Amino acid sequence: MAASGATTNLPLRFRPPRRLPPRTPTVEQLEAAVTENPLKDAYFGETHVHTSYSLDAYIGGARITPDEAYKFAQGADVVVNGQKHNIGRPLDWVAVSDHAEFIGEMYSTQVPGAKGGDNAMLEELRNLKSVDEQRAWFLKYVVENNRGANPGHPPFYAGPETTRSAWKDVQIKAAIDNYRPGKFTTLAGFEWTSAQNAGNMHRNVIFRDLNVPDMPFSALDSADEEKLWAWMAEQEKKGSRLLAIPHNSNGSKGLMFEPLDNAGKPITADYARLRSHFERLIEMMQIKGNSEVHRKFWPADEFAGFENADSVGSFSGREFKKEYFVRWAATKGLDYQAKLGANPYQFGFIGGTDNHNGLPSDVAEDDYIGSHGPADGTLEARRTGEIDGWIKAKESSPGSISAVWATRDTRDAIWDAMAARETFVTSGTRIKVRFFGGADLGAASTNPRELVEQGYRKGVPMGGTIEKASKAPTFTVWAAKDPNGANLDRIQIIKGMVDANGEPNDKVIDVVWSGDRKRAANGKLPPVGNTVDLKTATYANTIGSPELMGTWTDPDFDPAKPALYYVRVLEIPTPRWTTYDAVRNKLELLSDALRRFRSAPGLRRSGTRPAALERLRPASARAPVSSNPLRSGR
């Protein structure tokens, strides 16, 4: 026993503090760390792509999943039609938009152990080999079903549980897993695929965040677009933010821009406001053609022959009329605005591909492998075949690419740019284009940054409205070539107006162009020239300009008459994909597929117009870019 006051030395054991694994930052923290640019940057992406979770794509051999589609967009290799493929230039953002109608069936088909997966019909589906077998399935379970009076689920549907699983466990999970704030943005989305009597009424529905419903709304729930908008309004009340993007008005049989609602009554102000609230954008161009204009109805527009996709008008009882095209509708909206106080067609313009191989924005002309499985997956099929029910393969295009001017590469900023209509579309080239308008804008600065600063400070950007202008508005435009692409030919402004009878008309103005060309006596600008070598499928940037900037004030402005304005930017001619295909394989050019584009060799475009860039010309093309319209109001 120790004496009183004595001390005892006991051993001390040092235990270092336990190191906890670093906490994974939340999505909100990652987004907050992304720097914002108040003058905005151009981000390129895709809103319209189909993976193996779209029944028609799967029938055609697509095995790329939504997760793999997002990875392809970021630069990963995939195998398509038996060959390795890479996008080459990664995208900034993507929304996978599989058809909502049959994602449950595709879940049963592809997920081991899924409900209904042992159905004998699905075993047959998994083992379709020949194109004839695939075509028979496509016609029976997609075409005849969707285009009939009462579309419904096929007999191998295992119930709503599979639809919920496909949506939440596959589609939404892929969006979550691939989101990299500041580097790559994923947006939740789906396609509502109404096509009664083969009249295309399709919409891609895109969400701002992951506050999404348990299941998407499909054309099997209702083939009525007004019911779609009502469903979207219900989702808004529950906290979702979403918009719908219609596409292929060129194949809508007039249904896309009808003067009547689905009850057979003239459209009202309420109809116009509801549609404009949710349908803020329209897809201007994709694989199945350019829906902006057609040379038949706009003969005075020398570039209206771009990717007209004439054969769309010869399938499934379709035809072309002027009222089916976006320039007509966007201008007609001014008439509705005057009469109803609301504009149902106050569209901004955006692009898309409708690629059914699971490849977002696979738009490179010189590396095109087709878009719809075996329908155009071989050289012979692309030259002589058809994309069933829609178009001759040789008249199809790789599609277009979307661009938004956003403060940063995050879900909220990308979606907000779409909602603000500050977007543009190109025929695949990554041209950048700016467009501002305002009564107090001065001449364009020679410095692009100053042009942008002045545009936001004194005017409105593409997609905006110049309110109550008492004097002629001035417009400033700027475009820069794709760093990997062709020089620029010119920037045009298209002005749309309606006459006293409410009929749309328009005017195309050359604002700024490359070289020292002068207008001819008829006001037309001489062609920029053509460096394309059809024997080698090459071109040279010895003509054109890498950057164009200019100003235009409307000399015919009438403050009592509303108008819309959008920009079209043209590249110098470059080879079309059909030319690359022919030269690479030492074959004759497909002149029969191109002759109808007459003297306009086609274009590639970029700009602020309805959102489609044209790429067609006889064996070579100019790439147009279209920006969203600016509107003047009273």
Side-chain angles (χ1 to χ4, degrees), residues 510-536:
D510 290 312
V511 176
V512 60
W513 52 88
S514 63
D516 57 0
R517 289 172 285 168
K518 306 294 183 184
R519 298 181 194 272
N522 63 0
K524 295 289 186 181
L525 190 67
V528 67
N530 189 349
T531 67
V532 173
D533 184 337
L534 297 180
K535 294 180 180 179
T536 60

PDB file of all heavy atoms in Angstrom, residues 510-536:
ATOM      1  N   ASP A 510     -28.734  40.293 -95.485  1.00  0.00           N
ATOM      2  CA  ASP A 510     -27.308  40.040 -95.257  1.00  0.00           C
ATOM      3  C   ASP A 510     -26.762  41.207 -94.440  1.00  0.00           C
ATOM      4  O   ASP A 510     -26.773  42.359 -94.882  1.00  0.00           O
ATOM      5  CB  ASP A 510     -26.561  39.931 -96.579  1.00  0.00           C
ATOM      6  CG  ASP A 510     -26.920  38.668 -97.354  1.00  0.00           C
ATOM      7  OD1 ASP A 510     -26.925  37.595 -96.743  1.00  0.00           O
ATOM      8  OD2 ASP A 510     -27.202  38.780 -98.569  1.00  0.00           O
ATOM      9  N   VAL A 511     -26.248  40.908 -93.251  1.00  0.00           N
ATOM     10  CA  VAL A 511     -25.799  41.956 -92.332  1.00  0.00           C
ATOM     11  C   VAL A 511     -24.301  42.179 -92.429  1.00  0.00           C
ATOM     12  O   VAL A 511     -23.821  43.308 -92.526  1.00  0.00           O
ATOM     13  CB  VAL A 511     -26.199  41.616 -90.881  1.00  0.00           C
ATOM     14  CG1 VAL A 511     -25.641  42.649 -89.914  1.00  0.00           C
ATOM     15  CG2 VAL A 511     -27.713  41.544 -90.759  1.00  0.00           C
ATOM     16  N   VAL A 512     -23.539  41.117 -92.398  1.00  0.00           N
ATOM     17  CA  VAL A 512     -22.080  41.232 -92.472  1.00  0.00           C
ATOM     18  C   VAL A 512     -21.558  39.963 -93.131  1.00  0.00           C
ATOM     19  O   VAL A 512     -22.131  38.886 -92.975  1.00  0.00           O
ATOM     20  CB  VAL A 512     -21.476  41.433 -91.057  1.00  0.00           C
ATOM     21  CG1 VAL A 512     -21.809  40.285 -90.141  1.00  0.00           C
ATOM     22  CG2 VAL A 512     -19.975  41.659 -91.113  1.00  0.00           C
ATOM     23  N   TRP A 513     -20.465  40.109 -93.908  1.00  0.00           N
ATOM     24  CA  TRP A 513     -19.959  38.967 -94.661  1.00  0.00           C
ATOM     25  C   TRP A 513     -18.451  39.037 -94.800  1.00  0.00           C
ATOM     26  O   TRP A 513     -17.826  40.073 -94.547  1.00  0.00           O
ATOM     27  CB  TRP A 513     -20.631  38.901 -96.035  1.00  0.00           C
ATOM     28  CG  TRP A 513     -20.558  40.183 -96.814  1.00  0.00           C
ATOM     29  CD1 TRP A 513     -19.572  40.592 -97.663  1.00  0.00           C
ATOM     30  CD2 TRP A 513     -21.535  41.241 -96.800  1.00  0.00           C
ATOM     31  NE1 TRP A 513     -19.861  41.822 -98.183  1.00  0.00           N
ATOM     32  CE2 TRP A 513     -21.068  42.255 -97.672  1.00  0.00           C
ATOM     33  CE3 TRP A 513     -22.763  41.434 -96.146  1.00  0.00           C
ATOM     34  CZ2 TRP A 513     -21.769  43.433 -97.908  1.00  0.00           C
ATOM     35  CZ3 TRP A 513     -23.466  42.604 -96.370  1.00  0.00           C
ATOM     36  CH2 TRP A 513     -22.964  43.595 -97.243  1.00  0.00           C
ATOM     37  N   SER A 514     -17.884  37.940 -95.208  1.00  0.00           N
ATOM     38  CA  SER A 514     -16.438  37.862 -95.363  1.00  0.00           C
ATOM     39  C   SER A 514     -16.016  38.446 -96.703  1.00  0.00           C
ATOM     40  O   SER A 514     -16.792  38.496 -97.669  1.00  0.00           O
ATOM     41  CB  SER A 514     -15.978  36.404 -95.280  1.00  0.00           C
ATOM     42  OG  SER A 514     -16.534  35.652 -96.344  1.00  0.00           O
ATOM     43  N   GLY A 515     -14.767  38.883 -96.772  1.00  0.00           N
ATOM     44  CA  GLY A 515     -14.204  39.368 -98.022  1.00  0.00           C
ATOM     45  C   GLY A 515     -14.706  40.743 -98.402  1.00  0.00           C
ATOM     46  O   GLY A 515     -15.350  41.451 -97.624  1.00  0.00           O
ATOM     47  N   ASP A 516     -14.409  41.145 -99.663  1.00  0.00           N
ATOM     48  CA  ASP A 516     -14.784  42.479-100.141  1.00  0.00           C
ATOM     49  C   ASP A 516     -15.917  42.415-101.159  1.00  0.00           C
ATOM     50  O   ASP A 516     -16.019  43.245-102.052  1.00  0.00           O
ATOM     51  CB  ASP A 516     -13.568  43.177-100.749  1.00  0.00           C
ATOM     52  CG  ASP A 516     -12.940  42.363-101.877  1.00  0.00           C
ATOM     53  OD1 ASP A 516     -13.454  41.257-102.171  1.00  0.00           O
ATOM     54  OD2 ASP A 516     -11.944  42.832-102.450  1.00  0.00           O
ATOM     55  N   ARG A 517     -16.801  41.417-101.000  1.00  0.00           N
ATOM     56  CA  ARG A 517     -17.923  41.278-101.930  1.00  0.00           C
ATOM     57  C   ARG A 517     -18.866  42.476-101.847  1.00  0.00           C
ATOM     58  O   ARG A 517     -19.051  43.059-100.765  1.00  0.00           O
ATOM     59  CB  ARG A 517     -18.702  39.994-101.621  1.00  0.00           C
ATOM     60  CG  ARG A 517     -17.961  38.718-101.975  1.00  0.00           C
ATOM     61  CD  ARG A 517     -18.712  37.487-101.462  1.00  0.00           C
ATOM     62  NE  ARG A 517     -18.585  37.319-100.023  1.00  0.00           N
ATOM     63  CZ  ARG A 517     -19.323  36.480 -99.305  1.00  0.00           C
ATOM     64  NH1 ARG A 517     -20.267  35.767 -99.907  1.00  0.00           N
ATOM     65  NH2 ARG A 517     -19.128  36.360 -98.000  1.00  0.00           N
ATOM     66  N   LYS A 518     -19.482  42.818-102.962  1.00  0.00           N
ATOM     67  CA  LYS A 518     -20.461  43.904-103.025  1.00  0.00           C
ATOM     68  C   LYS A 518     -21.807  43.337-103.468  1.00  0.00           C
ATOM     69  O   LYS A 518     -21.869  42.380-104.238  1.00  0.00           O
ATOM     70  CB  LYS A 518     -20.019  44.984-104.025  1.00  0.00           C
ATOM     71  CG  LYS A 518     -18.619  45.532-103.785  1.00  0.00           C
ATOM     72  CD  LYS A 518     -18.525  46.290-102.468  1.00  0.00           C
ATOM     73  CE  LYS A 518     -17.126  46.897-102.294  1.00  0.00           C
ATOM     74  NZ  LYS A 518     -16.973  47.554-100.972  1.00  0.00           N
ATOM     75  N   ARG A 519     -22.871  43.934-102.970  1.00  0.00           N
ATOM     76  CA  ARG A 519     -24.199  43.513-103.400  1.00  0.00           C
ATOM     77  C   ARG A 519     -24.383  43.767-104.891  1.00  0.00           C
ATOM     78  O   ARG A 519     -23.949  44.791-105.424  1.00  0.00           O
ATOM     79  CB  ARG A 519     -25.288  44.270-102.635  1.00  0.00           C
ATOM     80  CG  ARG A 519     -25.300  44.041-101.135  1.00  0.00           C
ATOM     81  CD  ARG A 519     -26.452  44.825-100.522  1.00  0.00           C
ATOM     82  NE  ARG A 519     -26.349  44.923 -99.077  1.00  0.00           N
ATOM     83  CZ  ARG A 519     -26.835  44.028 -98.227  1.00  0.00           C
ATOM     84  NH1 ARG A 519     -27.433  42.944 -98.704  1.00  0.00           N
ATOM     85  NH2 ARG A 519     -26.712  44.182 -96.921  1.00  0.00           N
ATOM     86  N   ALA A 520     -25.092  42.842-105.539  1.00  0.00           N
ATOM     87  CA  ALA A 520     -25.436  43.028-106.950  1.00  0.00           C
ATOM     88  C   ALA A 520     -26.603  44.005-107.057  1.00  0.00           C
ATOM     89  O   ALA A 520     -27.181  44.449-106.051  1.00  0.00           O
ATOM     90  CB  ALA A 520     -25.796  41.684-107.567  1.00  0.00           C
ATOM     91  N   ALA A 521     -26.969  44.334-108.289  1.00  0.00           N
ATOM     92  CA  ALA A 521     -28.061  45.288-108.527  1.00  0.00           C
ATOM     93  C   ALA A 521     -29.374  44.798-107.914  1.00  0.00           C
ATOM     94  O   ALA A 521     -30.220  45.599-107.507  1.00  0.00           O
ATOM     95  CB  ALA A 521     -28.221  45.526-110.024  1.00  0.00           C
ATOM     96  N   ASN A 522     -29.542  43.473-107.834  1.00  0.00           N
ATOM     97  CA  ASN A 522     -30.773  42.924-107.251  1.00  0.00           C
ATOM     98  C   ASN A 522     -30.709  42.822-105.732  1.00  0.00           C
ATOM     99  O   ASN A 522     -31.615  42.278-105.093  1.00  0.00           O
ATOM    100  CB  ASN A 522     -31.066  41.552-107.849  1.00  0.00           C
ATOM    101  CG  ASN A 522     -29.971  40.531-107.532  1.00  0.00           C
ATOM    102  OD1 ASN A 522     -28.990  40.841-106.862  1.00  0.00           O
ATOM    103  ND2 ASN A 522     -30.140  39.315-108.042  1.00  0.00           N
ATOM    104  N   GLY A 523     -29.641  43.337-105.142  1.00  0.00           N
ATOM    105  CA  GLY A 523     -29.491  43.321-103.694  1.00  0.00           C
ATOM    106  C   GLY A 523     -28.868  42.062-103.139  1.00  0.00           C
ATOM    107  O   GLY A 523     -28.603  41.972-101.936  1.00  0.00           O
ATOM    108  N   LYS A 524     -28.621  41.068-104.006  1.00  0.00           N
ATOM    109  CA  LYS A 524     -28.062  39.804-103.543  1.00  0.00           C
ATOM    110  C   LYS A 524     -26.545  39.904-103.398  1.00  0.00           C
ATOM    111  O   LYS A 524     -25.872  40.591-104.157  1.00  0.00           O
ATOM    112  CB  LYS A 524     -28.401  38.682-104.526  1.00  0.00           C
ATOM    113  CG  LYS A 524     -29.889  38.375-104.640  1.00  0.00           C
ATOM    114  CD  LYS A 524     -30.410  37.701-103.387  1.00  0.00           C
ATOM    115  CE  LYS A 524     -31.852  37.257-103.563  1.00  0.00           C
ATOM    116  NZ  LYS A 524     -32.383  36.603-102.333  1.00  0.00           N
ATOM    117  N   LEU A 525     -26.042  39.179-102.431  1.00  0.00           N
ATOM    118  CA  LEU A 525     -24.604  39.120-102.204  1.00  0.00           C
ATOM    119  C   LEU A 525     -24.027  37.981-103.038  1.00  0.00           C
ATOM    120  O   LEU A 525     -24.579  36.877-103.056  1.00  0.00           O
ATOM    121  CB  LEU A 525     -24.339  38.868-100.721  1.00  0.00           C
ATOM    122  CG  LEU A 525     -22.915  39.006-100.216  1.00  0.00           C
ATOM    123  CD1 LEU A 525     -22.459  40.449-100.309  1.00  0.00           C
ATOM    124  CD2 LEU A 525     -22.832  38.496 -98.766  1.00  0.00           C
ATOM    125  N   PRO A 526     -22.924  38.194-103.742  1.00  0.00           N
ATOM    126  CA  PRO A 526     -22.322  37.093-104.511  1.00  0.00           C
ATOM    127  C   PRO A 526     -21.913  35.946-103.599  1.00  0.00           C
ATOM    128  O   PRO A 526     -21.613  36.149-102.424  1.00  0.00           O
ATOM    129  CB  PRO A 526     -21.096  37.745-105.156  1.00  0.00           C
ATOM    130  CG  PRO A 526     -21.354  39.203-105.125  1.00  0.00           C
ATOM    131  CD  PRO A 526     -22.193  39.453-103.902  1.00  0.00           C
ATOM    132  N   PRO A 527     -21.895  34.715-104.119  1.00  0.00           N
ATOM    133  CA  PRO A 527     -21.466  33.571-103.315  1.00  0.00           C
ATOM    134  C   PRO A 527     -20.039  33.757-102.804  1.00  0.00           C
ATOM    135  O   PRO A 527     -19.217  34.428-103.425  1.00  0.00           O
ATOM    136  CB  PRO A 527     -21.549  32.390-104.287  1.00  0.00           C
ATOM    137  CG  PRO A 527     -22.512  32.834-105.344  1.00  0.00           C
ATOM    138  CD  PRO A 527     -22.323  34.311-105.468  1.00  0.00           C
ATOM    139  N   VAL A 528     -19.754  33.128-101.675  1.00  0.00           N
ATOM    140  CA  VAL A 528     -18.439  33.248-101.068  1.00  0.00           C
ATOM    141  C   VAL A 528     -17.381  32.483-101.856  1.00  0.00           C
ATOM    142  O   VAL A 528     -16.183  32.757-101.746  1.00  0.00           O
ATOM    143  CB  VAL A 528     -18.474  32.749 -99.605  1.00  0.00           C
ATOM    144  CG1 VAL A 528     -18.720  31.243 -99.543  1.00  0.00           C
ATOM    145  CG2 VAL A 528     -17.209  33.123 -98.844  1.00  0.00           C
ATOM    146  N   GLY A 529     -17.807  31.525-102.655  1.00  0.00           N
ATOM    147  CA  GLY A 529     -16.874  30.661-103.363  1.00  0.00           C
ATOM    148  C   GLY A 529     -16.983  29.246-102.851  1.00  0.00           C
ATOM    149  O   GLY A 529     -17.834  28.927-102.000  1.00  0.00           O
ATOM    150  N   ASN A 530     -16.127  28.364-103.347  1.00  0.00           N
ATOM    151  CA  ASN A 530     -16.216  26.958-102.978  1.00  0.00           C
ATOM    152  C   ASN A 530     -14.844  26.313-103.142  1.00  0.00           C
ATOM    153  O   ASN A 530     -14.291  26.274-104.240  1.00  0.00           O
ATOM    154  CB  ASN A 530     -17.245  26.253-103.866  1.00  0.00           C
ATOM    155  CG  ASN A 530     -17.545  24.840-103.400  1.00  0.00           C
ATOM    156  OD1 ASN A 530     -16.856  24.303-102.546  1.00  0.00           O
ATOM    157  ND2 ASN A 530     -18.583  24.248-103.962  1.00  0.00           N
ATOM    158  N   THR A 531     -14.273  25.843-102.068  1.00  0.00           N
ATOM    159  CA  THR A 531     -12.958  25.197-102.123  1.00  0.00           C
ATOM    160  C   THR A 531     -13.054  23.682-102.030  1.00  0.00           C
ATOM    161  O   THR A 531     -12.031  23.000-101.942  1.00  0.00           O
ATOM    162  CB  THR A 531     -12.056  25.694-100.973  1.00  0.00           C
ATOM    163  OG1 THR A 531     -12.589  25.236 -99.721  1.00  0.00           O
ATOM    164  CG2 THR A 531     -11.950  27.209-100.966  1.00  0.00           C
ATOM    165  N   VAL A 532     -14.272  23.123-102.020  1.00  0.00           N
ATOM    166  CA  VAL A 532     -14.437  21.681-101.821  1.00  0.00           C
ATOM    167  C   VAL A 532     -13.856  20.912-103.001  1.00  0.00           C
ATOM    168  O   VAL A 532     -14.161  21.199-104.161  1.00  0.00           O
ATOM    169  CB  VAL A 532     -15.919  21.317-101.629  1.00  0.00           C
ATOM    170  CG1 VAL A 532     -16.094  19.797-101.605  1.00  0.00           C
ATOM    171  CG2 VAL A 532     -16.448  21.921-100.335  1.00  0.00           C
ATOM    172  N   ASP A 533     -13.034  19.932-102.692  1.00  0.00           N
ATOM    173  CA  ASP A 533     -12.515  19.001-103.690  1.00  0.00           C
ATOM    174  C   ASP A 533     -13.334  17.717-103.564  1.00  0.00           C
ATOM    175  O   ASP A 533     -13.199  16.967-102.593  1.00  0.00           O
ATOM    176  CB  ASP A 533     -11.031  18.716-103.430  1.00  0.00           C
ATOM    177  CG  ASP A 533     -10.405  17.821-104.503  1.00  0.00           C
ATOM    178  OD1 ASP A 533     -11.151  17.080-105.170  1.00  0.00           O
ATOM    179  OD2 ASP A 533      -9.176  17.864-104.653  1.00  0.00           O
ATOM    180  N   LEU A 534     -14.202  17.471-104.550  1.00  0.00           N
ATOM    181  CA  LEU A 534     -15.109  16.337-104.483  1.00  0.00           C
ATOM    182  C   LEU A 534     -14.385  15.007-104.672  1.00  0.00           C
ATOM    183  O   LEU A 534     -14.945  13.956-104.358  1.00  0.00           O
ATOM    184  CB  LEU A 534     -16.212  16.480-105.519  1.00  0.00           C
ATOM    185  CG  LEU A 534     -17.135  17.692-105.326  1.00  0.00           C
ATOM    186  CD1 LEU A 534     -18.191  17.744-106.422  1.00  0.00           C
ATOM    187  CD2 LEU A 534     -17.799  17.659-103.957  1.00  0.00           C
ATOM    188  N   LYS A 535     -13.178  15.037-105.165  1.00  0.00           N
ATOM    189  CA  LYS A 535     -12.431  13.799-105.337  1.00  0.00           C
ATOM    190  C   LYS A 535     -11.803  13.329-104.033  1.00  0.00           C
ATOM    191  O   LYS A 535     -11.571  12.138-103.844  1.00  0.00           O
ATOM    192  CB  LYS A 535     -11.342  13.982-106.396  1.00  0.00           C
ATOM    193  CG  LYS A 535     -11.884  14.239-107.802  1.00  0.00           C
ATOM    194  CD  LYS A 535     -10.746  14.415-108.796  1.00  0.00           C
ATOM    195  CE  LYS A 535     -11.291  14.674-110.195  1.00  0.00           C
ATOM    196  NZ  LYS A 535     -10.190  14.875-111.191  1.00  0.00           N
ATOM    197  N   THR A 536     -11.527  14.273-103.144  1.00  0.00           N
ATOM    198  CA  THR A 536     -10.876  13.923-101.883  1.00  0.00           C
ATOM    199  C   THR A 536     -11.728  14.236-100.659  1.00  0.00           C
ATOM    200  O   THR A 536     -11.331  13.932 -99.531  1.00  0.00           O
ATOM    201  CB  THR A 536      -9.543  14.683-101.746  1.00  0.00           C
ATOM    202  OG1 THR A 536      -9.801  16.104-101.777  1.00  0.00           O
ATOM    203  CG2 THR A 536      -8.592  14.313-102.868  1.00  0.00           C
TER     204      THR A 536
END
